[in-house]
Amino acid sequence: MKNYTITVNGNVYDVTVEEKAAGAAPVPAPAAAPIAVPKAAPAPKAAAAGAGSIEVKAGAAGKVFKIEANVGQSVKKGDPVVIIEAMKMEIPVVAPEDGTVASIDAAVGDAIEAGAVLATLN
């Protein structure tokens, strides 16, 4: 075990890290019981009316703090579309490429998971 002191934004944390021997094999996970699969899978969620083909996805879990773009607005690659708040930081979710905002699929205050589609572009 090694002990470290880490300072993040002025907060001091004491951390203990366990060392593994070089070449040690990872401990295998216990075998899980088989999972029953339903006979009929539910139909996929229908796309919102006017939804575009380019998805703007959240890079981290958090809460929608602000919507920066409006439906019909033209955006360039890298322009902020939505701002999410995660770990008391505001994180911009940007357009992956040039396009026009086709839909905004989140509202201010929504809790979101990493990878959630927040908007679509055409």
Side-chain angles (χ1 to χ4, degrees):
M1 297 271 200
K2 285 195 172 192
N3 294 319
Y4 296 95
T5 300
I6 300 172
T7 304
V8 178
N9 294 334
N11 296 323
V12 178
Y13 301 94
D14 290 321
V15 179
T16 302
V17 179
E18 182 179 350
E19 292 183 32
K20 293 198 177 213
V27 177
I35 299 172
V37 178
K39 291 182 181 180
K45 185 177 172 183
S53 58
I54 303 164
E55 296 179 333
V56 180
K57 295 182 179 183
K63 190 177 268 189
V64 176
F65 180 72
K66 186 177 182 184
I67 308 292
E68 289 282 323
N70 298 312
V71 173
Q73 179 179 339
S74 218
V75 292
K76 298 280 186 198
K77 180 178 181 175
D79 285 351
V81 178
V82 176
I83 306 290
I84 61 174
E85 181 183 36
M87 298 182 289
K88 301 204 182 226
M89 295 186 308
E90 293 176 16
I91 303 168
V93 179
V94 299
E97 55 188 80
D98 295 354
T100 302
V101 178
S103 69
I104 301 290
D105 302 320
V108 172
D110 284 357
I112 53 150
E113 296 294 324
V117 176
L118 303 177
T120 58
L121 307 176
N122 284 328

